[in-house]
Amino acid sequence: MRSHLPAAALLAAVMLPVAAVAAEATARLPALSAEDSRRVGALMARMSVDEKVGQLNQVAGADATGPVSPAKAEDLAAAVRSGRIGSMLNIRGAAATRQYQQWAMRSRLKIPLLFALDVIHGYQTVFPVPLGETASWDLGLIEQSARIAAIEASASGIHWTFAPMVDVARDPRWGRVMEGAGEDPWLGAAVARARVLGFQKRRLGDTDAVMATAKHFAGYGAALAGRDYNTVDMSLQQLHDVYLPPFKAAADAGVASFMNAFNTLNGVPATGSRYLQTTLLRRQWGYDGIVVSDWGSVGEMITHGFARDAAHAAPLALNAGNDIDMESHVYDKALAAAVRSGAVATPTLDAAVRRVLEMKARLGLFKDPYRFSDERRERQALSNPAHRLVALEAARKSAVLLKNHERLLPIPPRVRHIAVIGPLARARRDLEGGWLVNSSPQHVVTIAEAIKARAPAGTQVTVLDGCDVDCASDAGFAAAEAAALQADLVVLAVGEGWDMTGEDRSRADIGLPGRQNELVQRVARAGKPVAAVVLGGRPLILNTVAEHAGAILLAWLPGSEGGNAIGDLLFGHVNPSAKLPITFPRSVGQIPISYAHYMTGRPAGAVRAPYRSQYIDSPNTPLYAFGHGLSYTTFEYTAPALSAAAIKADGKATLRFTLTNSGAVYGEEVVQLYVHDEVASLARPVRLLRGFRKVGLQPGASAQVEFTIDRATLSFIDASLASVVEPGSFRLMVGAASDDLRLEARLEVLP
Ligand code: GLC
C-alpha cells in the first residue's frame, strides 16, 4: 500500500495561519473601543423608537429558509432606506451586499446593515456535514474548515454565520442531527469552541472573520420522537448536564451571538424563555452578545398558544431576552407600540439595540460599511485551491471504517475488475449534503470517477446505479447482480441523498432509503466480496449492509472533495482514522440510545437473564457504538500509570499510558478517556467521555499519552444544578471506542 503523506505534512503545505486551539481559550467578545462606545452612545441618543425597533428587525433576502417567502426586493430596498431593517439574511455576494448597504446609507442615521447567512459547512468550498466532520475528532482541522468558510463568506459580504449548531442529539430520526456534533456534550463542547474560533478568529473585526452563532438555544436536539420543531421536555438537571455544555463552551469562546429555538422547553417556547435567555445566559453566564430568534419563532409563540397576538408576542420575546426578530415581522409591527404602552421598558429596548450597534462597531462597519463587500477580494478568496485541499483532508479524516472483515480493504492490486454499483456511485450534488450556499456541484468528483482514477492500470471498472437514491423500483437490480458476477470485487455506493437529512427532514424509518437494502442483497447474491460506501447525514440502520458487506466505509455527506477522499481511502492512499460521534442503533426501536446510558437497578448482562432491563427481540447494544472506527493498522495500549491513587475534590492526577502502532502502515488513533462515578447523589452514566487525543504514529512507533484528571473530568451537575465533584470511587477507562476499552485505573476522591 502506498503510504500517503502523513496528514500533518499535507496540511502544513496548505494550512492557513490559524493559531493553535488553546485548550483553555476563553476569549470573550472583544471589548468595544472608547471611540466606538462614544459613537454608539451618541447614535442611541438620536434614535427614535421606530429606528431602534428597526435595528431589531431581521428580514430575509433572496431565498427563504423558513415557511414564509421573504418580501420582494423593492419592498426591501424601501424598508432599508427608511431604517426599518437592521440586518438581513440570505443576501450574498460582494455586489449584492454593497447595493443593500448603499440603501442603508440613505437612511436618516446611516446605520449599516449586518448580513447573515447559514454557512454551516463551507461557503463555496464544501466540507463534510458537521456531524461527519466531528467524526474526525480533529479539532485543528475542524477549526481550519470553519476558518476557510469564514474567509470565503466574508469575502462575499457576509458578516454573520448562523453556525455552529451545537445541539446535542441522541435521536437520529431528527434530520438536524446532521448539522451538529453528535450525542456527547464533552465532544460537542470541544467542537463548538473550535468552530467558533475558526469562524471568528481570536477577535472579530478582521474582514476575514465572521460573527458565529451558537444555536439552537436550547434543547432542540431532544425534540420528542425525533420530529422536527416538536416539544422538548426534560429536567433542568439533564438540560444543564447534557444539553448546555456546548453552548457554554461557545459563550466562553466569545461567540458573537446565540440563536434560540423553535421548540418549547418544558412548556415555554425558547424564544419566550426568560429562564434561558436572561436568567441563565445573561445573568449566570454573563453573556453580552446578540440573541436572535429562529426564523419566525417570535410569531410562532402565537401558534404555540403562548402569546395571544403580535401585540402580546413582541413584549414577551423582548422582555425574555430575544434581541432580534428574524422574519416574523412581529417586532416591526408591534414592538414600538409595546414600548409606548410601557409593556417594554425603554432600558430593555435600549439594551438590545445597543448590543446590535456595538456588534456593527466591532466589525468596523461605521467606519467603512462596505469593507466586507469587495469584489476583487471575493474573486481571490473563492478561487483559492488550498481550500479544496483542506476539504479533501477533512473528508479523508471524517470517513469511518465501520467494518473490515478479513482486511477486505484497502482494495488489493490483485483485483482486476471492480463493479461500482449503487445510486450514489455517480452522485455529485448528493456528496455535498444540505445547507449549501454557493457551491458548484459540477466540480465534485464522483465515487466512480475517483475509483477509476486510482485503480491500477488495466483494471476494469464497471459502473451501474441499480436504482436511484429513492430506490422505489427494482428494475435495475438484475443488471447490477450480473455486473457483480463479472467482477472480482464490488464497491456498493448506497445511502441517503443530500436532501434526506437536515431541517424538516425527520424520518420515522432510518434504514437505507427505498429498496436499497434489496439491492444490497441482490448484489451480494453474486457471491463476490463487497465493500460498501455509505453516504448519509445521520445514523442509518445498517443491519443488511453489515450482513452482506465485508467492509463498510461510512463517508457521511463528505463535501466538495468527498469522491476523491473515498477513492484515497478505498485504495489505502490514506488510512481511515475517524470515530463515530453518535451511536448507530440496530433498530429504530432502540431510540433514544446513547453510550452514556445508566446502569439501572437491573442491568442486562452479557448472558440473558430474567427480569433485566432488556428487549425480548433485540440486544441492548447498538450495531456500532459511539467512538467506534477501525484503521488499516492496529494500535496497542500499554503501561497505564496513574500519578496518584487518591486526590482531593479540587486536586489533580495524571493518567499516562503508551500507545503503539503495531501494524504496517501510518495511522492516526483517537484515544478516548471515559469516566464512571460509581456512587453519587444522582445515579451516573456507566461511562462518560472526559478526554480524547488524536495521535498519528508511523508503523512500530510509540507515544506516551497523558490525560489530566481534575474537576472538569470528575464533576457533574447535581440535583440543585450545582457543578460538583463528590467523594468516592471513580473508574477511569481508556480505549479505542466506548465499547472497546483497553486500560482501566481506579481513582479515589477524598472528602
Ligand atoms: C432555519 C433554521 C436555522 C437557520 C435559520 C435561518 O429555520 O432553524 O438554523 O439558521 O432558519 O436560515
Side-chain angles (χ1 to χ4, degrees), residues 303-379:
T303 314
H304 276 293
F306 188 73
R308 288 185 300 278
D309 51 23
H312 186 202
L316 270 182
L318 194 81
N319 289 333
N322 180 81
D323 295 327
I324 291 179
D325 169 13
M326 179 202 298
E327 259 298 330
S328 87
H329 307 285
V330 165
Y331 280 14
D332 183 38
K333 280 186 286 206
L335 185 56
V339 175
R340 293 188 182 106
S341 72
V344 170
T346 299
T348 304
L349 173 71
D350 286 355
V353 175
R354 181 178 299 279
R355 285 190 281 267
V356 174
L357 296 178
E358 287 181 349
M359 201 62 75
K360 295 181 177 182
R362 285 191 184 94
L363 295 180
L365 296 177
F366 286 109
K367 293 184 183 110
D368 176 3
Y370 308 106
R371 64 195 294 258
F372 284 75
S373 303
D374 174 342
E375 289 181 76
R376 184 181 49 77
R377 186 164 73 93
E378 183 178 38
R379 281 191 299 275

Side-chain angles (χ1 to χ4, degrees), residues 38-329:
R38 276 193 302 276
R39 172 186 279 116
V40 168
L43 192 51
M44 295 277 301
R46 297 173 57 207
M47 294 173 78
S48 68
V49 168
D50 289 332
E51 286 166 329
K52 291 177 181 176
V53 168
Q55 288 304 303
L56 307 185
N57 183 30
Q58 182 176 99
V59 175
D63 313 316
T65 43
V68 175
S69 64
K72 295 188 294 295
E74 57 275 14
D75 301 344
L76 293 174
V80 167
R81 279 196 300 269
S82 65
R84 282 177 50 218
I85 295 177
S87 54
M88 301 192 75
L89 71 152
N90 301 345
I91 301 277
R92 62 179 182 277
T97 52
R98 177 176 287 271
Q99 172 62 77
Y100 276 92
Q101 210 63 298
Q102 284 166 345
W103 288 326
M105 290 306 107
R106 286 162 56 183
S107 63
R108 184 178 79 89
L109 293 172
K110 300 180 176 25
I111 300 174
L113 292 165
L114 284 174
F115 295 108
L117 188 68
D118 292 282
V119 185
I120 307 297
H121 55 113
Y123 180 76
Q124 169 159 303
T125 305
V126 182
F127 292 86
V129 292
L131 183 62
E133 198 181 66
T134 303
S136 72
W137 297 57
D138 184 328
L139 299 178
L141 186 67
I142 288 168
E143 178 176 352
Q144 186 67 36
S145 82
R147 184 88 293 282
I148 289 170
I151 287 167
E152 293 186 352
S154 58
S156 300
I158 301 305
H159 304 127
W160 184 5
T161 179
F162 292 142
M165 187 271 232
V166 301
D167 299 304
V168 171
R170 297 176 167 179
D171 187 334
R173 293 172 293 182
W174 188 52
R176 304 199 75 168
V177 70
M178 171 270 269
E179 300 174 46
E183 74 183 64
D184 182 74
W186 183 275
L187 177 58
V191 170
R193 180 175 61 234
R195 288 186 168 139
V196 168
L197 296 178
F199 285 126
Q200 298 189 171
K201 294 171 77 174
R202 263 30 177 194
R203 53 169 293 106
L204 279 176
D206 294 350
T207 50
D208 66 349
V210 296
M211 293 162 60
T213 307
K215 72 182 186 182
H216 304 83
F217 194 57
Y220 187 17
L224 204 57
R227 204 172 73 231
D228 212 348
Y229 317 123
N230 205 358
T231 305
V232 172
D233 214 279
M234 67 174 77
S235 68
L236 289 183
Q237 189 277 338
Q238 274 295 290
L239 178 73
H240 282 259
D241 209 22
V242 177
Y243 293 87
L244 290 180
F247 286 100
K248 184 66 168 53
D252 289 344
V255 72
S257 66
F258 268 61
M259 180 185 292
N260 55 46
F262 294 119
N263 55 281
T264 55
L265 175 63
N266 302 336
V268 178
T271 306
S273 170
R274 186 168 179 77
Y275 173 74
L276 285 174
Q277 299 172 113
T278 297
T279 307
L280 182 63
L281 188 60
R282 300 282 184 211
R283 297 211 175 123
Q284 290 181 13
W285 292 1
Y287 183 66
D288 55 0
I290 292 173
V291 174
V292 61
S293 70
D294 200 343
W295 183 292
S297 66
V298 173
E300 288 176 12
M301 293 199 295
I302 301 164
T303 314
H304 276 293
F306 188 73
R308 288 185 300 278
D309 51 23
H312 186 202
L316 270 182
L318 194 81
N319 289 333
N322 180 81
D323 295 327
I324 291 179
D325 169 13
M326 179 202 298
E327 259 298 330
S328 87
H329 307 285

Side-chain angles (χ1 to χ4, degrees), residues 539-552:
L540 296 169
I541 304 300
L542 296 177
N543 302 315
T544 302
V545 176
E547 182 185 348
H548 294 291
I552 304 173

Side-chain angles (χ1 to χ4, degrees), residues 599 674-678 686-687 729-733 741 744-747:
M599 187 64 83
Y674 293 91
V675 173
H676 179 210
D677 185 345
E678 295 190 290
V686 296
R687 67 186 71 82
S729 175
F730 289 77
R731 290 174 64 210
L732 309 177
M733 298 157 275
L741 301 172
E744 180 161 341
R746 199 172 287 277
L747 178 70

